[in-house]
């Protein structure tokens, strides 16, 4: 048979084990030696061999080794060896791979196989000084590390970069400084290699830093060795049991949305992904525990545990699945020599490098996830998943929002979790209550049904604007979007992306200010007794100093106005959103909600009413927004600055006056498009923000990256204490360079622009 047919073995499960081996030999998946070893069970570990691998051996524990079939990855067919005790995994992954193969196969790509070694310094009194000193000696440290493993360097690997991280210590004075040694281990697993490099360079780092080194060990969070796999499946390939392709697609998307917003669901969702990856890791002799640790740590990188995959519908209506996962694996090392079965598995798989193995693993994980979600979204796995499956079915059947929960209850009670049954229940309820259908609620393909508020950046004047000075602020393209529809009881706030599904308890001591703010809006608009659902679709990053709370308030107010036909004008929206900001932040300036409401580049000064001047701009100004990853508590920072200003009024008044002059100068620089002068003003403005004590180490790092990469100016934007910064650029080339450098340093960065105001 042709090479392209190797991964396709129809009815393989029906053969005896002996006949399966014969088929594999005929297809040249097994060579003669491996065929004999498997047939005669010569591949199994002996007690003597096992005794050489670990301590205190008393025997050998066996696990089944099977094959995942039908895989087509990057246009190459694969037979995937998997070692696992759980039934149905091999059948499920092979079935999923067949579906994707018919649709064109998986696409996988991977980063270089980088491991991170960590060298810990503690009780550091001057961390930025130590960081600078270590980076000054970066090349010498790398050279020393590589001298310890010259053969790895000859193979194209070795220590390639150095990073220095600063952490606050809670129980000891000073800071903790951690040096990251980035090592390309090529096809080796690399743990021992990286550990020995860390040990070897520790004395030099101690000498350079003047600080004591403690831990020297690799990290299993291998987020520099990422794998990205993707599949695109037209609906004609998705028909499954009694469900149509569209029903399967929508059920998978609904199930994936659940995992994206709910950590309890996400943990099971990701376990299903690892049902595919772990068995392949075990078969190929890799450290599956390290792989698990990296995957779950990466899933929680935002501070909230979420899913590793994403499933959505593209513009053609196809189901698209993607996975981004850290996968650092090896194809050479001790396990290959000590365990004969591992060598057989490598030869069955036919991979040529560690990166190729990682790319196959990514696709296998995505396939296993597809299979699990397809079952959940159609026939279900078992009764414990009944509600999730019922939600997908009720939605697919077109259950109206006002009937959805009742449809769900009756559907689960009936035990017939089928689309036809859901439609029957919907008609029964319509007959009982004579309620007209409003259609299922989902984010529309366009914004026509949505209300929104703009996110924002502040170019000059943070904090001083709260004390009456001028500031210049601009909207960004990221928005908060909201929609309101009728509900049968109470007021329910839904923010699926943030895991929020809350019925508002009026008069309660709200834990989060968003609920208190919403209660105020409803009271002001006399809507307290109107039952409704308020659904929010956030684009603005939460607590990053980009006006998210103001944009949220503006979006909700406009959605309420639209649904209940209140006839509010922009000034009404601005005033009410300002009241919301005062609740959220305590003493708001009014700049965020003003920009969010009008969406214009403005010069702003606090007052009743505030003074606003729309600035003229002939062409967009390119910027990069760097996200520190540390949530910014604007209310805390505003309070901190206010208390210091009250304590030292003579000094703070001078600072605020200087910041006011910078804001006024920035207006002129913008209008004459003198970007160099604007950049200088931004740099000076940031100096004053530093003096006010509202910056943060990660923000300072981002600013340093931006300036070293050619930014005309860079500064904190928003409340501070974390959050975001902005970098002024003179071209899209500079934007891409700065964004790339920020990504390489482990930060998120957005390319944006300040656009001319709309008339």
């Amino acid at each position: 048979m042709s090479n392209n047919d190797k991964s396709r073995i129809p009815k393989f499960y029906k053969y005896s084990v002996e006949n399966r081996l014969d088929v594999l030999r005929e297809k040249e998946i097994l060579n003669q030696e491996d065929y004999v070893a498997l047939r005669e069970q010569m591949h199994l570990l002996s007690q003597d061999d096992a005794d050489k691998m670990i301590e205190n051996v008393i025997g050998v524990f066996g696990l089944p080794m099977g094959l995942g079939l039908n895989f087509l990855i990057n246009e190459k067919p694969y037979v995937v060896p998997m070692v696992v005790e759980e039934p149905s995994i091999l059948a499920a992954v092979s079935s999923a791979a067949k579906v994707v193969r018919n649709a064109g196969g998986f696409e996988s790509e991977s980063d270089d196989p980088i491991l991170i070694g960590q060298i810990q310094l503690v009780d550091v009194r001057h961390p930025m000084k130590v960081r600078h000193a270590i980076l000054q000696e970066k090349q010498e440290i790398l050279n020393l590390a590589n001298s310890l493993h010259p053969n790895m360097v000859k193979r194209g690997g070795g220590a390639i970069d150095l990073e220095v991280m600063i952490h606050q210590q809670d129980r000891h004075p000073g800071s903790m400084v951690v040096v990251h040694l980035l090592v390309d281990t090529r096809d080796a697993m690399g743990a021992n290699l990286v550990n020995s490099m860390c040990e070897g360079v520790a004395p030099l780092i101690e000498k350079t830093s003047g600080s004591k080194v403690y831990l020297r060990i690799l990290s299993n969070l291998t987020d520099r060795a990422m794998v990205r796999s993707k599949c695109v499946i037209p609906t004609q390939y998705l028909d499954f049991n009694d469900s149509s392709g569209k029903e399967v697609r929508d059920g998978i998307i609904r199930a994936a949305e659940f995992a994206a917003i709910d950590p309890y669901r996400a943990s099971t969702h990701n376990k299903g992904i690892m049902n595919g990856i772990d068995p392949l890791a075990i078969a190929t002799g890799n450290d599956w525990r390290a792989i698990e640790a990296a995957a779950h740590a990466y899933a929680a990188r935002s501070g909230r545990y979420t899913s590793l995959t994403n499933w959505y519908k593209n513009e053609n209506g196809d189901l698209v699945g993607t996975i981004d996962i850290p996968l650092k694996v090896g194809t050479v090392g001790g396990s290959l020599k000590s365990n004969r079965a591992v060598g057989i598995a490598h030869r069955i798989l036919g991979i040529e490098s560690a990166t190729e193995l990682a790319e196959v693993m990514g696709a296998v994980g995505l396939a296993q996830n597809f299979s699990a979600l397809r079952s959940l979204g159609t026939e279900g796995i078992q009764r414990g998943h009944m509600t999730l499956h019922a939600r997908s079915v009720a939605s697919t059947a077109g259950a109206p929002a006002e009937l959805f929960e009742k449809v769900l209850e009756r559907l689960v009670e009936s035990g017939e979790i089928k689309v036809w049954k859901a439609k029957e229940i919907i008609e029964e309820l319509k007959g009982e209550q004579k309620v007209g259908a409003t259609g299922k609620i989902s984010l529309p393909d366009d914004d026509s049904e949505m209300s929104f508020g703009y996110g924002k950046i502040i170019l000059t004047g943070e904090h001083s604007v709260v004390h009456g000075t001028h500031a210049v602020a601009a909207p960004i393209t990221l928005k908060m979007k909201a929609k309101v529809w009728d509900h049968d009881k109470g007021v329910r706030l839904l923010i699926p992306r943030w895991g929020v599904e809350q019925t508002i308890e009026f008069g309660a001591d709200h834990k989060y200010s968003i609920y208190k703010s919403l209660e105020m809006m409803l009271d002001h608009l006399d809507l307290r007794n109107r039952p409704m659902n308020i659904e929010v679709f956030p684009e603005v990053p939460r607590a990053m100093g980009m006006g998210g709370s103001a944009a949220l308030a503006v979006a909700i107010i406009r959605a309420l106005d639209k649904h209940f036909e209140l006839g509010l004008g922009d000034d009404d929206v601005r005033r009410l959103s300002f009241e919301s900001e005062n609740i959220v932040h305590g003493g708001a300036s009014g700049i965020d909600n003003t920009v969010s409401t009008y969406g214009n580049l403005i010069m702003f000064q606090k007052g009743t009413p505030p003074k606003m001047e729309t600035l003229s701009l002939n062409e967009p100004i390119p910027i990069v927004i760097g996200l520190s990853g540390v949530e910014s508590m604007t209310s805390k920072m505003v309070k901190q600055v206010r208390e210091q200003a009250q304590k030292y009024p003579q000094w703070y008044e001078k600072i605020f006056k200087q910041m006011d002059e910078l804001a006024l100068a920035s207006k002129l620089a913008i209008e004459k498009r003198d970007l160099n002068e604007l950049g200088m003003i931004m740099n000076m403005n940031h100096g004053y923000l530093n003096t006010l004590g509202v910056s943060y180490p990660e923000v300072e790092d981002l600013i340093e990256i931006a300036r070293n990469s050619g930014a005309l100016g860079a500064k904190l934007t928003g409340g501070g204490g974390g959050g975001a910064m902005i970098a002024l650029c003179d071209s899209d080339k500079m934007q891409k360079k700065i964004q790339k450098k920020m990504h390489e340093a482990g930060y998120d960065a957005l390319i944006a622009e300040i656009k001319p105001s709309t008339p």
Side-chain angles (χ1 to χ4, degrees):
M1 297 183 181
S2 70
N3 184 59
N4 286 337
D5 291 329
K6 281 187 175 182
S7 68
R8 288 281 295 118
I9 311 177
K11 309 299 181 184
F12 188 69
Y13 66 94
K14 289 189 173 182
Y15 299 147
S16 66
V17 174
E18 184 176 352
N19 288 340
R20 290 173 193 156
L21 295 176
D22 291 337
V23 171
L24 295 176
R25 182 178 59 172
E26 291 171 7
K27 282 180 164 284
E28 299 179 346
I29 294 170
L30 291 177
N31 60 32
Q32 183 63 23
E33 182 181 355
D34 291 341
Y35 168 76
V36 172
L38 288 169
R39 187 188 64 189
E40 304 300 328
Q41 301 186 45
M42 297 162 54
H43 65 296
L44 301 178
L45 277 175
S46 67
Q47 283 193 354
D48 288 340
D49 288 335
D51 196 42
K52 297 182 181 73
M53 295 174 69
I54 63 170
E55 305 82 9
N56 303 337
V57 167
I58 60 168
V60 177
F61 185 91
L63 285 173
M65 182 163 72
L67 298 179
L69 303 174
N70 307 319
F71 277 94
L72 185 64
I73 306 167
N74 295 336
E75 300 183 354
K76 177 179 176 180
Y78 291 91
V79 172
V80 179
M82 301 173 72
V83 173
V84 65
E85 85 293 348
E86 187 174 335
S88 81
I89 285 179
L90 276 299
V93 80
S94 298
S95 174
K98 184 178 180 181
V99 171
V100 178
R101 180 193 184 96
N102 291 336
F106 294 92
E107 296 176 4
S108 281
E109 61 178 20
S110 60
D111 297 336
D112 288 335
I114 306 298
L115 261 182
I116 298 173
Q118 295 185 296
I119 301 103
Q120 176 200 31
L121 306 169
V122 299
D123 302 339
V124 179
R125 297 290 184 176
H126 304 288
M128 295 303 292
K129 183 178 178 181
V130 166
R131 179 180 184 274
H132 181 73
I134 293 171
L135 291 176
Q136 284 288 101
E137 297 298 318
K138 172 180 171 178
Q139 196 56 52
E140 185 176 350
I141 295 169
L142 294 177
N143 290 342
L144 175 58
N146 285 326
S147 71
L148 302 172
H149 291 278
N151 289 335
M152 178 58 68
V153 177
K154 288 179 182 177
R155 292 196 293 270
I160 61 169
D161 205 356
L162 198 72
E163 297 173 344
V164 182
M165 320 297 286
I166 298 173
H167 303 291
Q168 299 302 311
Q169 294 180 164
D170 294 331
R171 301 180 181 178
H172 303 280
S175 298
M176 182 187 300
V177 175
V178 181
V179 179
H180 281 187
L181 187 66
L182 274 60
V183 184
D184 185 338
T185 64
R186 295 288 87 194
D187 291 330
M189 295 174 196
N192 292 333
L193 180 149
V194 171
N195 286 340
S196 66
M197 281 188 171
C198 290
E199 294 280 354
V201 302
L204 176 56
I205 289 175
E206 279 190 334
K207 179 181 176 183
T208 300
S209 65
S211 301
K212 175 69 176 176
V213 166
Y214 280 79
L215 297 189
R216 293 144 287 184
I217 190 169
L218 86 158
S219 168
N220 284 128
L221 178 51
T222 54
D223 57 1
R224 308 307 167 86
M226 297 295 296
V227 170
R228 293 163 290 276
S229 297
K230 178 180 181 180
C231 61
V232 180
I233 313 172
T235 54
Q236 64 259 37
Y237 300 115
L238 289 173
D239 292 352
F240 186 66
N241 293 341
D242 295 331
S243 300
S244 70
K246 289 184 178 180
E247 290 169 346
V248 172
R249 177 198 65 195
D250 294 343
I252 288 173
I253 292 171
R254 286 288 185 178
E257 288 174 347
F258 188 1
I261 65 175
D262 187 333
Y264 291 91
R265 171 64 197 135
S267 64
T268 310
H269 178 98
N270 290 342
K271 187 267 183 184
I273 294 169
M274 305 315 289
N275 276 348
I277 291 174
D278 285 348
L280 176 53
I282 295 169
T284 55
N286 278 277
D287 186 347
W288 61 271
R289 298 161 304 279
I291 291 171
E292 281 269 356
H296 296 299
Y298 187 76
R301 66 194 182 280
S302 68
R304 183 179 181 84
Y305 188 85
T306 187
S307 59
L308 290 163
T309 59
N310 182 30
W311 294 90
Y312 60 95
K313 177 177 68 174
N314 68 13
E315 60 186 9
N316 296 322
D318 306 328
L319 177 67
V320 181
T322 63
I323 184 171
D324 287 7
I325 186 170
L327 283 172
K328 177 64 187 75
V329 296
T331 56
V332 296
S335 62
L336 284 169
K337 298 176 182 178
S338 59
N339 192 333
R340 188 173 181 180
V342 171
I344 294 173
H346 276 260
R347 288 186 287 276
I348 289 173
L349 192 56
I351 43 92
E352 297 178 1
S353 67
T355 52
E356 185 182 359
L357 174 56
E359 289 168 3
V360 171
M361 275 191 185
V364 172
L366 187 59
Q368 193 73 49
N369 185 232
F370 166 81
S371 180
L373 295 182
R374 182 176 60 173
S375 292
L376 280 170
T378 52
E379 82 241 15
I381 290 178
Q382 42 185 300
R383 180 77 184 182
H385 297 295
M386 185 73 78
T387 300
L388 170 62
H389 177 42
R391 282 186 176 275
S392 297
V393 170
S395 177
T396 301
E402 66 271 15
L403 296 179
F404 193 93
E405 297 300 328
K406 292 182 179 179
V407 172
L408 191 64
E409 290 171 2
R410 292 195 185 184
L411 194 59
V412 172
E413 185 179 348
S414 75
E416 287 283 350
I417 313 301
K418 303 291 183 182
V419 173
W420 66 264
K421 184 63 176 179
K423 290 181 176 179
E424 181 179 285
I425 292 169
I426 292 168
E427 293 305 315
E428 288 175 359
L429 288 171
K430 285 181 180 179
E432 291 172 10
Q433 301 184 16
K434 298 182 180 179
V435 177
T438 61
K440 70 179 178 181
I441 300 300
S442 61
L443 184 62
D445 295 332
D446 56 44
D447 289 344
S448 61
E449 297 182 28
M450 309 296 288
S451 301
F452 62 85
Y454 294 95
K456 70 90 183 67
I457 57 169
I458 297 181
L459 284 167
T460 50
E462 290 91 343
H463 286 285
S464 62
V465 70
V466 177
H467 299 267
T469 71
H470 293 86
V472 174
I476 55 177
T477 54
L478 299 178
K479 304 171 184 175
M480 289 289 190
K481 302 176 182 178
K483 182 174 183 176
V484 173
W485 72 94
D486 292 331
H487 187 43
D488 58 352
K489 184 179 180 181
V491 176
R492 187 170 59 163
L493 178 65
L494 305 166
I495 313 178
R497 294 179 194 175
W498 293 352
V500 173
E501 183 173 350
Q502 182 71 37
T503 299
I504 304 302
E505 296 182 30
F506 289 93
D509 184 13
H510 299 292
K511 181 179 180 181
Y512 299 108
S513 58
I514 183 175
Y515 303 132
K516 186 176 180 181
S517 171
L518 180 57
E519 185 175 342
M520 179 276 297
M521 294 178 201
L522 295 170
D523 277 340
H524 182 90
L525 298 172
D526 197 23
L527 296 173
R528 182 176 183 143
N529 298 318
R530 300 288 292 271
M532 70 185 83
N533 285 309
I534 303 171
E535 188 164 10
V536 177
F537 302 88
E539 294 177 352
V540 182
R542 181 165 46 175
M544 284 292 127
M546 297 165 68
S549 62
L552 177 64
V554 169
I556 290 175
I557 293 165
R558 283 184 164 152
L560 292 168
D561 174 48
K562 183 174 184 177
H563 182 72
F564 293 107
E565 299 180 351
L566 303 176
L568 301 180
D570 284 345
D571 283 347
D572 299 315
V573 173
R574 178 189 60 77
R575 283 192 291 268
L576 187 52
S577 60
F578 177 67
E579 294 302 320
S580 172
E581 283 290 270
N582 271 328
I583 291 172
V584 173
H585 296 311
S589 67
I591 192 169
D592 286 14
N593 61 288
T594 300
V595 174
S596 182
T597 299
Y598 297 103
N600 286 331
L601 170 63
I602 62 170
M603 167 76 82
F604 178 92
Q605 188 175 25
K606 184 178 180 180
T608 309
K611 296 179 182 178
M612 293 177 286
E613 180 183 352
T614 301
L615 304 188
S616 61
L617 188 65
N618 294 325
E619 56 182 298
I621 297 175
I623 61 170
V624 173
I625 303 172
L627 304 180
S628 70
V630 179
E631 290 196 353
S632 169
M633 297 302 294
T634 300
S635 58
K636 179 181 177 182
M637 294 295 104
V638 168
K639 180 181 178 183
Q640 174 182 303
V641 173
R642 182 188 297 111
E643 289 175 349
Q644 289 296 100
Q646 291 171 349
K647 189 174 182 180
Y648 305 106
Q650 69 276 27
W651 298 112
Y652 273 71
E653 285 174 9
K654 291 178 181 179
I655 293 172
F656 294 152
K657 183 178 179 182
Q658 291 294 317
M659 294 177 74
D660 192 37
E661 291 179 5
L662 288 174
L664 292 168
S666 70
K667 169 185 178 293
L668 298 176
I670 289 169
E671 291 182 335
K672 64 184 180 182
R673 198 178 175 79
D674 189 337
L675 297 187
N676 287 314
E677 182 177 346
L678 180 59
M680 179 194 69
I681 292 169
M682 290 170 60
N683 288 338
M684 294 177 68
N685 193 171
H686 182 73
Y688 285 115
L689 291 169
N690 243 328
T691 302
L692 295 179
V694 298
S695 191
Y696 206 79
E698 282 81 358
V699 173
E700 293 300 315
D701 193 26
L702 283 163
I703 288 171
E704 182 180 1
I705 292 168
R707 291 176 180 170
N708 289 343
S709 302
L712 304 181
K715 63 178 285 293
L716 168 76
T717 185
M725 54 74 64
I726 51 174
L728 182 65
C729 305
D730 61 8
S731 65
D732 58 354
K733 182 178 180 182
M734 182 184 289
Q735 284 178 300
K736 292 175 182 176
K737 178 182 178 182
I738 292 172
Q739 183 190 46
K740 182 174 183 290
K741 291 294 184 181
M742 289 178 177
H743 285 170
E744 289 174 351
Y747 297 104
D748 285 335
L750 310 171
I751 287 178
E753 59 184 12
I754 301 169
K755 292 186 176 181
S757 298
T758 56

